[in-house]
């Protein structure tokens, strides 16, 4: 049996990173090929994970949303012709064209959904997915349980096979990678960030409105005694949706630093005293587990994630949507001594047990067997099923 794993982009954040880990684990007992729809800094890492000969990178931007959807599907069909895979694993709604292509070539499909309502609607508006995608996929994997409700709200349906995967991290690999040398982040004046008694607050991801880049930047404006670090693409040529870039150039802040696109974000995360998830929408972000793996405290808002109730036991959670006033108030009330104390940094250790990659892969392999018809499909109403999925007649497979 063989699996073709589709990544919508090769940025080393969120869904692509988790997708790479899943592909690596599946490659232990399957023939796995990874198709990268848009090249990026993650590509060398992917080649290390599954072998360079098993990674196919689309040059240029052949699947850009401005290319008509039918044409993108045609290109995907051409890529699947001659592909030995019996199963297509589409790692994001942004890879939906391959779900449609797989159906044309009579391949089984699993669609891993990381997006919540606002991002789903955005993808529909940009023709990156279609309302019919839930009716043609054989199974769905959810990045967080609450996304099941979002699927029903937007699409009105979902496949009968649904599994909640959450996120998973390789703790040892993260801690080892954090020890690597890395170029110093720079501020707008070209000065390098240095570890000192000043608090370092960090965020990781492609700078965008969805990631709350403006909120993060304005916190730096209001808290000149703290240093702020953005880990990831920042300049217009690196990310097209950085709504804070003009303000960054105009203000020329001495306390705001940028790493730029990086293949290994962990040495930069190791620098921080507090990870501030400024995202407006990030259902179950992998980066939270990565920060906890490095024993770094967290700050997030309850309306940003689907896991705020659990984060409240090992981090700082503000009620409501992310905003500058509350974030600045909380950060300003924190002390470097407390954030760096072992007792405070150890708070997230118990939370990491929820990110056991081996356990999650056992569930995923079971789902793959069911999609292939190698195991009986069990349908039951298990605890933890998203309420609106039950109302809509969608039953979740819950093996926890």
């Amino acid at each position: 049996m063989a699996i073709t794993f589709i990544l919508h982009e090769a940025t080393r954040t969120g869904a692509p990173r988790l997708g790479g880990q899943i592909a690596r684990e599946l490659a232990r007992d399957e023939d796995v090929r990874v198709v990268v729809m848009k090249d990026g800094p993650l590509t060398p890492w992917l080649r290390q994970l599954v072998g360079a000969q098993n990674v196919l990178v689309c040059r240029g931007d052949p699947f850009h949303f401005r290319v008509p959807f039918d044409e993108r599907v045609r290109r995907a069909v051409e890529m699947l012709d001659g592909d030995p895979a019996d199963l297509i694993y589409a790692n994001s709604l942004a890879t939906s064209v391959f779900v449609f292509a797989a159906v044309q070539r009579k391949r089984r499909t699993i669609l891993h959904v990381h997006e919540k309502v606002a991002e789903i609607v955005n993808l529909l508006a940009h023709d990156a997915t279609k309302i019919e995608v839930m009716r043609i996929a054989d199974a769905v994997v959810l990045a967080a349980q609450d996304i099941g409700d979002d699927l029903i709200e937007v699409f009105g349906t979902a496949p009968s096979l649904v599994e909640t995967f959450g996120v998973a991290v390789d703790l040892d690999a993260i801690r080892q990678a954090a020890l690597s040398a890395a170029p110093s982040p720079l501020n707008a004046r070209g000065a390098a960030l240095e570890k000192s008694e000043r608090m370092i607050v960090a965020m990781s991801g492609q700078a965008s409105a969805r990631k709350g880049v403006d909120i993060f930047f304005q916190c730096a404006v209001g808290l000149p005694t703290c240093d702020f670090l953005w880990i990831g693409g920042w300049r217009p040529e690196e990310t097209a949706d950085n709504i804070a870039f003009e303000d960054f150039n105009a203000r020329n802040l001495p306390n705001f630093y940028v790493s730029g696109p990086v293949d290994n974000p962990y040495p930069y995360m190791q620098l921080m005293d507090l990870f501030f998830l400024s995202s407006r929408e990030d259902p179950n972000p992998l980066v939270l587990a990565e920060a906890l793996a490095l024993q770094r405290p967290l700050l997030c808002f309850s309306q940003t994630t689907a896991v705020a109730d659990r984060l409240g036991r090992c981090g700082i959670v503000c009620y409501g949507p992310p905003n500058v006033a509350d974030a600045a108030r909380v950060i300003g009330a924190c002390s470097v001594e407390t954030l760096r104390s072992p007792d405070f940094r150890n708070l997230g250790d118990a939370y990491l047990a929820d990110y056991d990659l081996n356990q999650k892969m056992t569930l995923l392999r079971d789902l793959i067997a069911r999609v292939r018809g190698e195991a009986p499909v069990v349908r039951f109403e298990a605890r933890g099923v998203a309420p609106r999925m039950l109302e809509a007649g969608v039953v979740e497979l819950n093996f926890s």
Side-chain angles (χ1 to χ4, degrees):
M1 295 293 191
I3 297 175
T4 292
F5 204 96
I6 314 296
L7 293 178
H8 67 292
E9 60 183 2
T11 55
R12 198 177 168 97
T13 58
R17 246 187 300 168
L18 178 58
Q21 290 180 327
I22 293 173
R24 177 195 61 191
E25 295 303 311
L26 291 177
R28 298 186 190 280
D29 44 30
E30 300 259 8
D31 290 329
V32 173
R33 181 175 76 143
V34 177
V35 173
V36 180
M37 294 171 63
K38 185 177 181 181
D39 199 6
L42 186 72
T43 299
W45 179 73
L46 290 169
R47 289 176 174 142
Q48 291 177 0
L49 290 185
V50 300
Q53 73 280 7
N54 297 318
V55 178
L56 176 63
V57 180
C58 300
R59 297 303 175 190
D61 202 356
F63 294 102
H64 193 277
F65 68 86
R66 291 192 178 91
V67 177
F69 192 85
D70 289 346
E71 173 63 15
R72 281 176 273 152
V73 172
R74 185 190 66 76
R75 293 176 181 180
V77 168
E78 288 180 350
M79 294 179 67
L80 294 183
D81 283 340
D83 187 310
D86 64 297
L87 179 67
I88 307 302
Y89 194 110
N91 188 56
S92 167
L93 275 170
T95 67
S96 291
V97 292
F98 278 89
V99 177
F100 286 84
V103 170
Q104 289 191 27
R105 287 298 177 260
K106 300 185 179 353
R107 314 288 176 85
R108 295 289 186 179
T109 58
I110 294 177
L111 179 58
H112 198 138
V113 182
H114 303 265
E115 299 86 354
K116 287 182 67 62
V117 168
E119 184 63 15
I120 295 173
V121 171
N122 183 57
L123 290 173
L124 285 167
H126 285 85
D127 214 22
T129 188
K130 293 287 188 183
I131 202 73
E132 300 88 356
V133 70
M134 286 298 143
R135 299 186 183 278
I136 64 174
D138 292 295
V140 162
V141 175
L142 305 176
Q145 180 186 311
D146 288 0
I147 291 178
D149 288 342
D150 297 325
L151 296 185
I152 297 304
E153 179 175 339
V154 178
F155 295 102
T157 188
S160 60
L161 292 178
V162 181
E163 175 63 77
T164 300
F165 188 88
V167 297
V169 294
D170 187 333
L171 302 182
D172 291 338
I174 290 171
R175 290 163 181 163
Q176 186 62 37
L179 301 177
S180 301
S184 296
L186 303 177
N187 63 16
R189 304 176 184 184
L193 175 63
E194 296 181 0
K195 190 77 172 179
S196 67
E197 294 308 308
R198 289 169 61 90
M199 184 190 307
I200 298 176
V201 183
M203 169 62 178
S204 178
Q206 292 292 98
S208 66
R210 178 173 175 262
K211 292 292 185 180
V213 63
D214 53 326
I215 296 171
F216 190 82
F217 184 79
Q218 288 302 319
C219 284
V221 173
L223 294 167
T225 59
C226 301
D227 290 326
F228 286 75
L229 168 61
W230 189 275
I231 306 168
W234 180 261
R235 300 190 176 280
E237 60 269 23
E238 300 160 355
T239 176
D241 189 28
N242 184 357
I243 58 177
F245 186 74
E246 289 187 8
D247 209 9
F248 168 78
N249 275 345
R251 287 185 177 273
N252 202 26
L253 292 183
N255 68 324
F256 192 91
Y257 298 83
V258 176
S259 74
V262 292
D263 181 54
N264 179 7
Y266 306 120
Y268 300 98
M269 295 178 70
Q270 187 88 316
L271 289 172
M272 66 189 178
D273 297 305
L274 179 69
F275 182 81
F276 171 29
L277 184 71
S278 57
S279 299
R280 289 180 165 86
E281 180 181 283
D282 234 334
N284 199 2
L286 183 67
V287 71
L288 294 181
E290 293 171 334
L292 291 177
L294 297 174
Q295 294 190 311
R296 294 307 188 263
L298 309 174
L299 166 62
C300 68
F301 284 79
S302 64
Q303 290 186 19
T304 293
T305 82
V307 292
D309 57 333
R310 293 157 62 201
L311 291 175
R313 303 185 186 101
C314 60
I316 305 168
V317 180
C318 289
Y319 180 78
N323 64 87
V324 175
D326 287 335
R329 174 176 54 82
V330 171
I331 294 170
C334 293
S335 71
V336 173
E337 293 76 18
T338 298
L339 292 177
R340 294 181 183 177
S341 68
D343 288 343
F344 202 81
R345 286 191 168 181
N346 291 339
L347 284 175
D349 288 354
Y351 185 79
L352 286 173
D354 293 336
Y355 290 92
D356 184 347
L357 182 59
N358 290 330
Q359 179 180 351
K360 291 175 182 293
M361 289 307 303
T362 298
L363 305 183
L364 186 55
R365 288 188 178 97
D366 187 89
L367 177 64
I368 289 171
R370 293 172 188 277
V371 170
R372 285 172 166 162
E374 298 169 352
V377 176
V378 180
R379 293 182 172 87
F380 58 93
E381 294 185 7
R383 64 180 176 82
V385 176
R388 295 186 62 186
M389 295 192 83
L390 286 177
E391 292 170 8
V394 178
V395 181
E396 178 175 315
L397 294 175
N398 190 328
F399 304 98
S400 59

